[in-house]
Amino acid sequence: MKLMVVGGGGREHAIIKKLKENPAVEVIYALPGNGGIARDAVCVDIGAKDIPAIVAFAVEKGIDYAVVAPDDPLVLGAVDALAERGIPAFGPRKNAAILEGSKVFYKNLMKKHGIPTASYEVFEDAEAALSYLDTAPLPTVIKADGLALGKGVIIAETREAARAAVREMMEEHVFGKSGDRIVIEEFLTGPEVSVLAFTDGKTLVPMVSSMDHKRAGDGDTGLNTGGMGTVAPNPYYTREVAAECMETIFLPTVRAMAAEGRPFTGCLYFGLMLTPKGPRVIEYNCRFGDPETQVVLPLLESDLLTVMMATTNGTLDKTPVTFSEGAAACVIMASGGYPSAYAKGYPIEIPDDLHDHVVVAGAVDRDGTLVTSGGRVLGVLATAPTLREALATAYARTERITFRDAFYRHDIGKRALAAVKE
Ligand code: AMP
Ligand code: GLY
């Protein structure tokens, strides 16, 4: 089979490595891929948002199955455009990808269908939002409606900070049109859990749970990033919590989307907070999480391609999906300075025996040498029977990989270990 994966980060590398385990796979094209992905797939210089070029390439190569991994092409309708030309693809249609594309959409959906989430108000007018803030409880959470490269959420401790966030979003348009409408919502507390789930629009199969580490520095200090490391499973997500989430959140979401005439197929990502009052949805994503995928897929025992195709064909109820009982860890190595300004072009040294355990996020091939090209450069992975062992192995591997000014967090999994009973 000829496969195509749209995207070019660590998540896509993890997906490609897993897809390759199926012996029926002859070739995988990555659009655009990156210098590290090039070890595992044929990289093609087509951007992940260039839908006409993606479709034309797929038709020309006779692609049997496509995986659209990032949010942007999904929200722009890549899966619809491929399907129109007869190419089946993993991921939601445009009308379902709105679940990530608009926070106003998903907040209203949850309210209408009784799915537990933070209470909220929607504003389309800066004056109204500012006057609401005069009496809103603090801290308060301000969210730009549309996609904002993961930066559109501000947690404001003071009224001044909250007002400044509203002005930046609605008057200064720092997130462009994404900030024309905003959501102001209740501040929740509790451990955060990411749960990715396969769904064909009717059946939903949750994957092993995971925990992201979003801040740049040890001890959850510093700026928010795209994610500095992950562990799976997330020990806060017990069997009881999982059962409650299935009942009150996961199945109701799938049913709600179907009832709205927007059946969701692909990977539905639930960003949850386990509050003292029970699990609440913080956000939905319409795709695999990055870097959650890097710890979830190595624990998948079933064939990824078979499961993905079942979500497209509507046969997930007849397709076994199993995960191993073990644990996985991913440590992200980033360029010094990230998530603020950083230099690029530094050679990366990866010992030969580690390539199977590395997914590359931001690097290019320069005359046969892998050099840094992004803030998050690569993820170092390990699986083991216990989380403690997985973390020890991931860190031992991380120490053997070098590039100038590299940095990584030293406490990935620390909070999870404190909660783990092993
Ligand atoms: P998001 O960009 O939606 O993933 O939000 C970024 C982060 O903001 C989340 O991972 C949470 O840590 C935090 N967050 C978002 N909404 C809330 C909320 N209502 N209460 C507390 N923290 C929140
Ligand atoms: N790790 C969070 C995300 O993929 O959005």
Side-chain angles (χ1 to χ4, degrees), residues 11 100 194 212 214 226-227 269 283 285 287-292:
R11 163 185 54 203
E100 174 162 2
S194 307
D212 195 0
K214 287 193 172 145
Y269 170 126
E283 61 163 344
N285 290 327
R287 50 165 176 90
F288 278 99
D290 189 343
E292 285 89 342

Side-chain angles (χ1 to χ4, degrees), residues 165-214:
V166 167
R167 288 202 181 95
E168 281 177 10
M169 288 181 195
M170 303 192 88
E171 290 174 352
E172 293 159 33
H173 307 286
V174 291
F175 303 120
K177 289 191 99 43
S178 287
D180 286 355
R181 286 196 297 181
I182 62 165
V183 172
I184 301 186
E185 73 176 27
E186 175 195 9
F187 176 74
L188 301 175
T189 55
E192 285 186 58
V193 182
S194 307
V195 180
L196 318 182
F198 292 109
T199 173
D200 62 4
K202 306 181 298 278
T203 301
L204 175 136
V205 181
M207 299 179 222
V208 61
S209 62
S210 54
M211 184 191 284
D212 195 0
H213 297 70
K214 287 193 172 145

Side-chain angles (χ1 to χ4, degrees), residues 2 29 152 191 223 234 319 337 351 358 400 416:
K2 293 183 191 157
Y29 296 99
L223 294 172
N234 183 324
T319 306
V358 170
R400 296 177 55 216

Side-chain angles (χ1 to χ4, degrees), residues 62-149:
I63 295 295
D64 297 299
Y65 192 69
V67 177
V68 182
D71 47 356
D72 281 312
L74 290 167
V75 171
L76 291 169
V79 170
D80 310 61
L82 286 163
E84 268 171 34
R85 300 298 301 273
I87 294 158
F90 181 81
R93 299 288 181 126
K94 183 177 181 175
N95 73 352
I98 190 175
L99 200 51
E100 174 162 2
S102 168
K103 295 188 167 69
V104 173
F105 173 83
Y106 72 60
K107 295 300 290 190
N108 290 343
L109 182 90
M110 286 191 276
K111 186 188 262 183
K112 181 171 167 193
H113 295 269
I115 298 167
T117 187
S119 58
Y120 69 102
E121 300 284 339
V122 175
F123 296 96
E124 301 192 4
D125 173 83
E127 283 311 312
L130 291 168
S131 70
Y132 172 80
L133 287 176
D134 288 341
T135 54
L138 293 172
T140 188
V141 184
I142 301 168
K143 301 186 170 185
D145 176 39
L147 297 181
L149 296 171

